[in-house]
C-alpha cells in the first residue's frame, strides 16, 4: 500500500462508509420482521425476516439476519415445511451470492453497457410487431418456476399474446418423475414422501437428501426415524449408481449402474422371491410400512413401477400436484424451442434466469440458434455464457432484493420479501414479465395482487401463507407397458447435480466451491469418479486424465478413485467447465454437459473411455479415507446395542495428576450425533457464514490450509462411508492452551476454550498440540475482501488478520447475545436460547448445544445417551463436545 | 596430552601471540577468504531478501499447513542451537575437566556458538505468524498487565535461549578481554588501537585482575555447563510436552543434548579443518585435536543411535496404536527416505572412526563432518515434520512440501553463519592467545 | 608531579613471581604485578586475599532463581490468573525451567560485572600505560610495580631483583 496518512485514511473510511450506507438502503415497500421482534432497528441488534429461496425446484423457507439493513446470514424457518428450521448449503451460500461483486451491475446490449430505457423502447417496438401477429414468434424460456405469481403472469400472457409460447428448461428437471406419474396415473403428479412413517425405505438411485425438492424435510424425517429403538428405528436400503448422502446412511447399500438398478426393479416387480436379497428386502418393506423412492436417473416406466409398488405396499407417500405443472417435459420443450429458433420462427426470446447456452444438451445447438433470434433478452444475476450470446442482458434482482413468492415441495407458499433495495438496480422476473404484458408493475404489486385476501402481514411474519399446501390425491393406477430388459452398456457415465454448484448456478460462489463434496472431499473441482476396480481396469489413479465419449460429445476429465462405487460407471457432476461464470467459477472442472444428450440427461452409455496423457492435481480437504483401525467414528449394530447402558467403553483415564477445574456457572457443551448426521455440510458453511471464515482458494486448500471451523470427516470403513463432523472439542484439559507462550487460547469460567485473536502471535504451538486438528491458521492474508463483500461480514465476529490462529468458538457471540438478553430480564439463559450456527443449519438435528449444569437441558439429555462417547477420551483432554455413535440397523436376514 | 601441545615447543609467548594476532592485524586478505566472503555475503543478502518477503506476505510462503504447522524454521532452530552447544561444551565443560587440548579450539568454537545461537534465535521469530509481536513472549511491564504463559515450553525457550546467548557472550568476551589487550598493544593503526582498546576495557594484566578473571571465568564455565544441558533439554521440551506421538517422549532431553553435541562437533571440524589449512595453524590445531573430535563424534553418534533405537522400541513396547503407527510411518511412510538417510549419516558413516587412519585423515574427517551435519539437520526436520504429518486423526493427515522460501532461508542462514565466521576470523583472534601462552609456558616447563 | 610507582620488567613468570615474593617479604605493601597470562600464585604473592567473585555469583544466582520463581507465581496466581488447559494456577513443576534459567542468568551477569567492578574496569587510561615498553605486558614481558615507597628507594630495591629494566611511572 502506498503511504497513507491518517487524514487520508479517515477520508477514505468516511467515503466507504458513505458508499456502504448508500448501497444498503431498505426496500421501498414495507417489510415485516419475523415473529415478535422490536419494531425499530437498533444498531448492533440483528433482526430477522422470513423469506424463501428456491434451489432445486422448490422453496426452502429462510430467516434472514439483517444487521442495520445488511442481510448477513441465512437461517432456516421452523414453520416452513421445506425447511423445518434447517438450511441447505445453498441457502447458506445465497447471502454470498447477493454480495458477489461480480454480479451483473448494468443492462448490456451486445455486451456493451446500455440504458434500460433503450431496452424498453426496443422491447416495445418488438412487442408492437408481435401483437400484430397475436404473439407469434414470442417465446419465453424459464427454469422450473416455483412462483405462483409468476405462473399466473405467464398465464396472463395467453390473453394478450395468444400465439406466444412459454418453454421450460431446467438442467435439474424432474421429467422422469413427472412422466412416470403420467404413465401410472395419466397425469403429472409429484410424490411427497412421509419418511417418518416408514420403517423400511428402499431408495432406487434416489438422491432424496440432496436433489429432491423436499430434501431438507426428508433429512429431518429420516433422522427422526433413526432413534435407536427396535420398534421405531427405520432401515434404509439403497441401490445407487453414484455416491449419495443417502447411500452413506444406508444400512444396506448396493452400488450398480442405472441400467442394473432398472433391471433389478423389473425383477422385484415381477417376482421378489427369486433372489435372496430381493426377497429379504421385499419382506421387510411389506412388514414395516415400506416405502420405495425412485431417483430421477431411472426411466419414466421405472417411476411408474415404483408407484405401483408403493400402492401395493400402501406406502406413506402422498401424491400432489407438481409445483410447476407442464403439459410437456422440459426436454421436449427445449427441443421444440431450439427447433423453432433454428427455423427462424422466434422473433423475441425472453430468458428468465437460467443459463441455457451453457446447460442445454449440446446436440440441440441452442447457443448457435440464439444467433438467429432477432431480439433475445436474458435476465440473470450474472453476465454469463447465455448473456454473451443474447441481444440484451438485464441484471436480475437477487431473491434478497425482490418481492416474489414460492411454493415448497408439498405446495405451501411463502412470500419472498426483500431485505435490501436492489444493489445494482436489477429487474425481477415479475417486473420483466409485466413489461412484456405492457403493464409495467412493481414486483411488490404483482405479488400483492396475486395474494389478495390473505393475511399479508401474518404471512410475511410467519414466512408461510397459511393453508396453501397441495391436497394429496389418490388417483387410480393405470396399466402401462414395461420394456424388455435391455442389455446394459459396458461402460456408462452418470451425471449428477453437483452438491455445491448444482448445475452451475453457484459456480461463482467461493464458499460452495471450497466446500468439500461429501463423498470425495474434493474442493474447487468436479471429477470423473470411478470405483477402485474400474480404475484398475482403466489403468488410472486419482489425478490421471480420462477421455470420455458419448454420442453427444467427448471431454477429458481427471479420474478420482472412490471406494464402494458402482463398477464401470463414471460419475461426473454438472455445473463445471464454465467460461463466463466469473473469476471464481471460470475454468474450474470440466463441463459434463458436453457429454449430455437430450435423451440421456442422467446416464449415457460411454462410447469410449480411456486413459490419456496428463495429470490433474485435486485439492481435497481429506487425503486419507481409512480410519486405520482407530475407531474415531464409532458405530454399533442395533442388535448389539439393545440392553446396553453404554455402547462404547469410556476410555477417559480415571486418575489425573491435577484436580479437575471447578466450574460453578454455565457449562457449555455440545453433542454431535453420528447416528443422524448425513454429512450434508450445512454445518460447515453455516459456520463459515456466521463466523466470517475466509475462503483460501484451490492452491491453498491443496496445501492443507482450508479454514473451516467445523469439518465433516468422511471415512470409508467396511464398505460404507462414515461421516463425522468435527468442531473444536472445547476440552476441559485443553492441550492447546498450556503450550501457548502468550496465553492466547484460554479457558473461560463457563468452559469455553477461547482464542484471543489480539493476543495471538502465531506460534502455531496450539495446533501442533491439538489432537483433533481443529485449529485453523491464517497463513496468509486470507480475510481481505473487496466491496461489497465486506457487507456480508457478521459484525459480532472479529475478522482475523494474517498470522493469527482461529477455531470454533461455540458461537460465543450468540452466547453473549443470549446472556445480554437474560441479564436484562435478570434470569439465567434458558435451554435452547443459544443455538450455534452449525446446530441451527443442521437438517438432521444432529447437533445439540447447551448448558451441562442444567441437568434437564437437551445437551445433558444427549450426553446421557448410551451412544455417547468422547473423541480420543484416552488422552484425558475431557472434551465438552461429545458424540453419539452411529447405529446400524442391518436386516438380520442379510447378515 | 603432551602430544597435543608438542608442536608448541617450537613457539615462544611472543611468537605464539604474534602468529595468532597477525592473522587479524597484518596478514592481507587472500583469495580463499575473499571468495568465501563474497559467496557468503551473497547468501546473506538472499537470506535477508527472503526475510523481507516473509514479513510482507506472511508465513504462508513456507510449506507449512495444518497438520504440519511447524516446518523448516523450527528444524533450523533446533539444528542451529544444537550446533552452538559444541562450543560451550568445548570451552566450559572441557575447561572444568581440565582438558588442555581444548585451548586451541575453544575461542573459535565459542564464536561458532554465538553465531549459531544467534541465528537459531532468529528462527522462532521468523516462524511467528505476527513476528512483530515476538516480545510478547517475554515478561515486560504493560498497562494491560498481561504476562507470558509460564506453562509453555516456548516461554522456557525464550528464557533458555536468551540466557544462553547472554552467558555465551559473556563467557566469550571474558576470555577475549586479555587478547583484545594484546591486539591493542600490537596494533599499529590508530583506529584499531582505539577499537581494540575500547573493547579491552583497559585490561593491563594485573595479578589481582587475573585472579578474579580466572575465578569468574571458571564460574562462568561452571554456570554454562548445566546451562548448555538445560538449553537443549528445554528445546526438546518444545516437543516432549506435546501429546503428539513422535513428540511426546521422555527420552528427548538427553537425546537432544547428545544430538546437539554431535552436530556441534561436526561443525567444529567443518570449520577447523579449512581454517587450520588456510591460515597455517597446523601447530595449534593438531591432528590430535581432530582425532579427539572424531572420537567425540563416534561417542555421540552412539548415544544418538541409542535414541533412535529406544524411540522405536518404546513405541512398540507402549502398545499405543498411535505411537506404533507413528514409528511405522517413520520407517516406511512418505518421509521414510529422509529417516533412512539420517540413520546412514548419523549412525553408519561415523563408524568409520573406529579406524585410526580415518580419524587422522583430514579431508575424510571434513567430509564426514559435513555428512553428520546433513544427517543431524535431517533428523531435526524428520522429528518436526514427520511426527506431525500423521497424528491422531487420519482425516487430518497431510504432507509438508518445502517451498523455495524454506530452502532459501535454510541455505541463507548457513551463508549468514559463514559470513559472520569469516568476519570473526579477520577481526578477532581465532585462538585464545593468553591461554596458548599458558600452554607454551607449561610445555617449556616440562 | 609525583609518580605513580616504579616499574621493573622481567623476562619470565618465574622471575616476576620470585621478585613479587621478595618485595612482599621486604615489607612492601603496595605491589602490583603484570603478566601476559595468569601466573599461578602471583596474586597471592602481591597480597591478594579475599576473592569475592564466587560469593557474588552465588548470591546473585540465588536471588535470580527466587526472583524468577516469584515472578511466575505472582503473575500466574495473583496478577493474571487464567485457566490454562485445566492446570492449577500454581503449576510449580512447569515453573522450574524459567527459575533455573533465571538462576544461571543472574549468576553469570552479576559474576561478570562483579569481576569487572572489583577489578576497577573498564578503565581505559591507567598510568602504567605511560611507560612505552609496558605494551609488552600483553606479549612476552612481566612487570612489577612498587607504589609505596619513594621512587629512589623503589629503584634501588627493584635493582636487586635482577630486572631487564626499570622505569618510573609518571602519574
Amino acid at each position: 500500500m502506498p503511504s497513507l496518512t491518517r487524514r487520508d485514511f479517515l477520508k477514505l473510511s468516511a467515503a466507504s462508509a458513505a458508499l456502504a450506507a448508500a448501497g444498503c438502503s431498505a426496500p421501498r415497500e414495507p417489510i415485516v420482521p419475523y415473529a415478535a421482534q422490536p419494531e425499530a432497528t437498533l444498531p448492533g441488534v440483528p433482526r430477522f425476516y422470513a423469506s424463501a429461496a428456491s434451489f432445486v425446484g422448490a422453496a426452502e423457507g429462510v430467516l434472514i439476519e439483517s444487521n442495520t439493513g445488511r442481510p448477513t446470514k441465512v437461517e432456516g424457518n421452523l414453520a416452513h415445511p421445506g425447511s423445518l428450521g434447517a438450511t441447505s448449503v445453498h441457502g447458506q451460500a445465497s447471502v454470498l451470492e447477493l454480495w458477489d461483486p461480480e454480479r451483473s451491475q448494468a443492462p448490456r446490449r451486445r455486451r456493451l453497457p446500455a440504458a434500460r430505457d433503450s431496452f424498453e423502447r426496443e422491447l416495445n417496438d418488438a412487442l408492437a410487431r408481435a401483437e400484430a401477429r397475436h404473439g407469434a414468434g414470442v417465446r419465453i424460456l424459464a427454469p422450473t418456476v416455483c412462483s405462483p405469481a409468476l405462473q399466473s403472469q405467464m398465464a396472463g400472457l395467453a390473453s394478450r399474446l395468444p400465439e406466444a409460447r412459454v418453454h421450460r428448461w431446467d438442467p435439474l428437471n424432474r421429467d422422469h418423475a413427472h412422466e412416470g406419474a403420467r404413465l401410472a396415473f395419466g397425469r403429472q403428479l409429484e410424490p411427497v414422501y412421509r419418511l417418518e412413517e416408514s420403517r423400511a425405505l428402499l431408495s432406487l438411485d434416489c438422491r432424496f437428501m440432496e436433489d429432491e425438492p423436499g430434501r431438507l424435510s426428508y433429512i429431518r424425517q429420516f433422522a427422526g426415524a433413526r432413534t435407536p429403538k427396535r420398534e421405531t428405528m427405520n432401515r434404509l436400503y439403497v441401490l445407487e449408481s453414484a455416491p449419495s448422502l443417502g447411500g452413506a446412511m444406508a444400512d444396506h447399500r448396493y452400488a450398480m449402474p442405472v441400467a442394473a438398478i432398472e433391471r433389478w426393479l423389473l425383477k422385484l416387480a415381477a417376482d421378489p422371491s427369486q433372489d435372496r436379497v430381493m426377497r429379504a428386502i421385499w419382506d421387510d418393506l411389506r412388514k414395516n410400512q415400506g416405502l420405495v423412492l425412485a431417483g430421477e436417473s431411472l426411466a419414466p416406466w421405472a417411476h411408474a413401477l415404483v408407484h405401483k409398488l408403493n400402492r401395493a405396499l400402501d406406502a406413506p407417500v402422498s401424491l400432489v400436484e407438481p409445483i410447476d405443472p407442464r403439459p410437456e417435459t422440459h426436454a421436449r420443450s427445449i427441443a421444440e424451442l431450439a427447433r423453432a429458433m433454428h427455423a427462424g420462427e422466434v422473433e423475441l426470446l425472453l430468458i428468465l434466469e437460467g443459463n441455457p447456452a451453457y446447460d442445454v444438451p449440446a446436440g440441440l445447438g441452442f447457443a448457435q440458434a440464439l444467433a438467429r433470434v432477432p431480439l433475445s433478452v436474458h435476465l440473470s444475476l450474472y453476465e454469463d455464457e447465455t448473456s454473451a450470446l443474447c441481444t440484451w442482458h438485464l441484471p436480475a434482482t437477487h431473491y434478497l432484493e425482490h418481492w416474489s413468492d414460492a411454493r415448497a415441495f408439498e405446495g405451501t407458499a411463502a412470500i419472498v420479501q426483500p431485505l435490501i433495495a436492489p444493489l445494482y438496480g436489477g429487474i425481477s422476473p415479475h417486473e420483466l414479465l409485466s413489461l412484456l404484458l405492457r403493464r409495467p408493475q412493481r414486483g411488490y404489486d404483482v405479488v400483492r395482487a396475486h395474494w389478495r385476501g390473505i393475511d399479508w402481514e401474518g404471512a410475511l411474519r410467519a414466512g408461510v401463507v397459511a393453508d396453501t399446501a397441495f391436497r394429496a390425491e389418490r388417483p387410480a393406477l393405470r396399466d402401462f407397458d414395461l420394456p424388455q430388459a435391455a442389455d446394459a452398456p459396458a461402460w456408462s457415465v452418470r451425471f449428477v447435480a453437483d452438491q455445491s454448484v448444482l448445475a452451475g448456478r453457484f459456480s461463482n460462489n467461493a464458499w460452495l466451491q471450497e466446500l468439500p463434496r461429501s463423498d470425495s472431499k474434493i474442493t474447487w473441482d468436479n471429477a470423473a469418479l470411478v470405483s477402485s476396480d474400474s480404475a484398475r481396469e482403466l489403468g488410472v489413479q486419482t489425478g490421471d486424465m480420462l477421455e470420455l465419449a458419448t454420442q453427444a460429445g467427448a471431454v477429458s476429465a481427471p479420474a478420482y478413485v472412490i471406494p464402494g462405487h458402482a463398477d464401470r460407471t463414471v460419475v461426473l457432476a454438472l455445473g463445471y467447465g464454465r467460461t463466463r461464470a466469473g473469476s471464481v467459477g471460470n475454468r474450474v472442472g470440466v463441463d459434463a454437459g458436453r457429454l449430455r444428450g437430450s435423451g440421456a440427461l442422467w446416464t449415457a452409455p460411454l462410447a469410449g473411455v480411456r486413459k490419456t496423457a496428463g495429470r490433474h492435481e485435486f485439492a481435497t480437504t481429506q487425503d486419507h479415507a481409512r480410519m486405520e483401525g482407530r475407531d474415531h467414528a464409532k458405530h454399533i449394530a442395533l442388535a448389539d446395542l439393545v440392553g446396553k447402558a453404554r455402547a462404547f467403553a469410556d476410555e477417559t483415564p480415571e486418575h489425573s495428576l491435577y484436580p479437575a477445574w471447578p466450574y460453578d456457572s454455565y457449562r457449555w457443551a455440545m453433542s454431535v450425533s453420528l447416528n443422524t448426521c448425513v454429512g450434508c455440510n450445512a454445518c460447515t458453511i453455516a459456520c463459515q457464514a456466521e463466523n466470517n471464515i475466509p475462503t483460501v482458494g484451490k492452491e491453498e486448500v491443496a496445501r492443507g490450509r482450508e479454514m473451516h471451523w467445523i469439518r465433516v470427516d468422511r471415512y470409508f470403513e467396511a464398505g460404507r462411508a462414515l461421516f463425522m463432523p468435527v468442531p473444536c472439542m472445547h476440552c476441559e484439559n485443553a492441550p492447546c492452551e498450556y503450550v501457548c507462550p502468550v496465553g492466547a487460547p484460554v479457558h473461560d469460567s463457563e468452559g469455553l476454550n477461547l482464542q484471543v485473536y489480539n493476543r495471538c502471535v502465531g506460534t502455531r504451538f496450539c495446533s501442533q498440540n491439538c489432537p483433533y486438528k481443529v485449529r485453523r491458521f491464517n497463513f496468509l492474508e486470507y480475510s481481505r475482501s473487496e466491496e461489497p463483500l465486506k457487507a456480508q461480514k457478521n459484525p459480532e465476529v472479529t475478522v482475523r488478520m494474517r498470522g493469527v490462529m482461529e477455531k470454533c468458538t461455540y458461537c460465543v457471540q450468540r452466547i453473549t447475545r443470549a446472556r445480554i438478553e437474560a441479564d436484562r430480564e435478570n434470569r439465567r439463559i434458558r435451554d435452547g436460547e443459544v443455538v450455534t450456527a452449525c446446530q441451527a443449519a443442521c437438517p438432521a438435528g444432529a447437533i445439540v448445544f447447551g448448558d451441562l449444569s442444567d441437568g434437564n437441558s437437551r445437551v445433558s439429555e444427549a450426553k446421557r445417551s448410551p451412544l455417547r462417547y468422547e473423541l480420543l477420551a484416552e488422552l484425558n483432554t475431557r472434551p465438552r463436545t461429545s458424540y453419539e455413535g452411529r447405529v446400524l440397523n442391518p436386516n438380520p436376514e442379510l447378515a | 596430552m603432551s602430544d597435543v601441545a608438542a608442536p608448541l615447543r617450537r613457539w615462544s609467548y611472543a611468537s605464539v601471540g604474534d602468529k595468532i594476532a597477525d592473522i587479524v592485524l597484518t596478514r592481507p586478505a587472500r583469495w580463499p577468504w575473499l571468495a568465501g566472503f563474497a559467496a557468503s555475503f551473497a547468501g546473506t543478502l538472499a537470506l535477508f531478501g527472503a526475510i523481507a518477503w516473509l514479513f510482507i506476505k506472511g508465513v504462508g510462503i513456507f510449506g507449512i499447513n495444518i497438520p504440519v504447522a511447524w516446518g523448516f524454521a523450527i528444524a533450523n532452530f533446533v539444528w542451529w542451537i544444537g550446533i552452538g552447544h559444541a562450543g560451550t561444551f568445548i570451552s566450559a565443560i572441557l575447561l572444568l575437566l581440565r582438558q588442555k587440548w581444548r585451548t586451541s579450539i575453544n575461542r573459535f568454537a565459542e564464536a561458532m556458538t554465538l553465531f549459531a545461537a544467534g541465528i537459531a534465535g532468529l528462527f522462532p521469530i521468523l516462524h511467528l505468524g505476527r513476528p512483530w509481536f515476538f516480545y510478547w513472549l517475554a515478561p515486560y511491564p504493560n498497562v494491560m498487565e498481561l504476562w507470558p504463559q509460564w506453562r509453555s515450553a516456548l516461554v522456557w525457550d525464550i528464557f533458555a535461549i536468551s540466557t544462553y546467548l547472554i552467558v555465551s557472550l559473556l563467557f566469550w568476551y571474558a576470555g577475549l578481554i586479555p587478547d583484545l589487550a594484546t591486539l591493542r598493544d600490537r596494533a599499529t593503526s590508530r583506529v584499531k588501537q582505539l577499537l581494540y582498546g575500547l573493547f579491552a576495557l583497559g585490561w593491563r594484566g594485573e595479578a589481582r585482575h587475573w585472579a578474579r578473571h580466572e575465578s569468574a571465568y571458571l564460574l562462568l564455565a561452571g554456570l554454562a555447563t548445566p546451562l548448555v544441558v538445560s538449553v537443549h533439554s528445554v528445546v526438546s521440551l518444545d516437543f516432549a510436552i506435546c501429546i503428539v506421538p513422535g513428540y511426546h517422549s521422555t527420552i528427548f532431553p538427553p537425546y537432544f543434548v547428545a544430538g546437539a553435541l554431535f552436530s556441534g562437533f561436526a561443525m567444529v571440524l567443518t570449520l577447523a579443518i579449512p581454517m587450520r589449512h588456510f591460515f597455517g595453524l597446523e601447530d595449534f590445531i593438531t591432528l590430535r585435536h581432530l582425532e579427539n573430535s572424531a572420537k567425540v563424534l563416534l561417542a555421540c553418534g552412539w548415544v544418538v543411535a541409542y535414541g533412535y533405537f529406544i524411540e522405536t522400541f518404546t513405541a512398540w513396547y507402549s502398545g499405543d496404536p498411535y505411537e506404533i503407527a507413528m514409528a511405522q510411518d517413520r520407517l516406511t511412510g512418505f518421509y521414510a527416505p529422509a529417516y533412512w538417510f539420517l540413520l546412514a549419516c548419523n549412525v553408519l558413516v561415523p563408524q568409520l572412526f573406529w579406524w585410526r587412519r580415518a580419524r587422522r585423515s583430514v579431508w575424510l574427517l571434513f567430509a564426514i563432518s559435513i555428512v553428520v551435519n546433513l544427517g543431524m539437520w535431517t533428523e531435526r526436520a524428520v522429528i518436526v515434520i514427520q511426527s506431525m504429518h500423521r497424528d491422531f486423526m487420519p482425516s487430518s493427515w497431510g504432507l509438508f512440501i518445502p517451498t523455495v522460501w524454506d530452502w532459501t532461508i535454510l541455505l541463507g542462514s548457513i551463508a549468514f553463519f559463514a559470513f559472520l565466521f569469516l568476519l570473526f576470523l579477520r577481526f578477532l583472534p581465532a585462538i585464545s592467545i593468553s591461554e596458548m601462552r599458558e600452554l607454551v609456558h607449561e610445555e617449556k616447563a616440562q | 608531579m609525583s609518580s605513580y610507582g616504579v616499574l621493573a620488567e622481567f623476562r619470565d613468570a618465574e622471575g616476576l613471581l620470585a621478585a613479587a615474593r621478595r618485595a612482599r617479604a621486604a615489607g612492601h605493601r603496595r605491589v602490583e604485578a603484570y603478566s601476559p597470562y595468569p601466573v599461578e600464585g602471583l596474586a597471592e604473592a602481591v597480597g591478594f586475599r579475599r576473592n569475592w567473585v564466587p560469593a557474588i555469583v552465588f548470591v546473585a544466582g540465588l536471588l535470580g532463581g527466587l526472583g524468577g520463581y516469584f515472578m511466575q507465581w505472582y503473575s500466574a496466581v495473583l496478577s493474571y490468573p487464567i485457566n490454562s488447559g485445566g492446570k492449577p494456577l500454581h503449576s510449580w513443576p512447569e515453573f522450574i525451567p524459567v527459575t533455573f534459567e533465571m538462576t544461571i542468568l543472574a549468576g553469570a551477569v552479576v559474576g561478570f560485572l562483579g569481576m569487572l567492578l572489583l577489578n576497577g574496569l573498564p578503565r581505559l587510561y591507567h598510568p602504567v600505560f605511560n611507560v612505552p615498553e609496558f605494551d609488552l605486558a600483553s606479549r612476552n614481558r612481566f612487570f612489577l610495580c612498587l607504589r609505596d615507597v619513594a621512587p629512589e628507594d623503589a629503584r634501588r630495591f627493584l635493582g636487586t631483583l635482577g630486572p631487564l629494566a626499570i622505569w618510573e611511572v609518571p602519574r
Side-chain angles (χ1 to χ4, degrees), chain B residues 23 54 67 76 92-93 109 132 180 230 253 258 273 277 282 349 401 427 433:
Chain B
I23 297 175
L54 172 70
N76 297 345
I93 299 184
W132 51 94
L180 288 170
S230 85
I273 290 171
H277 176 78
E282 282 91 346
V349 171
I401 306 289
F427 292 105
I433 299 170

Side-chain angles (χ1 to χ4, degrees), chain A residues 394-478:
Chain A
L394 300 176
T397 44
H398 190 263
Y399 83 89
L400 295 171
E401 296 172 334
H402 67 210
W403 288 96
S404 186
D405 56 355
R407 282 196 190 275
F409 69 115
E410 42 68 271
T412 299
I415 307 295
V416 175
Q417 61 175 337
L419 271 280
I420 187 168
L423 293 172
Y424 311 118
I427 306 173
S428 85
H430 300 290
E431 288 163 354
L432 185 57
L433 263 188
S434 75
L435 289 181
L436 201 65
L437 295 168
R438 298 268 212 164
R439 259 185 60 204
Q441 264 184 304
R442 299 192 55 80
Y444 176 77
D445 299 325
V446 174
V447 177
R448 194 75 210 255
H450 182 83
W451 294 101
R452 245 183 326 259
I454 62 158
D455 171 12
W456 177 257
E457 199 164 300
L460 290 182
R461 206 177 278 285
V464 289
V465 184
D467 305 321
T468 44
F470 293 131
R471 196 168 37 83
E473 305 180 33
R474 200 179 159 81
L477 266 174
R478 296 176 165 198

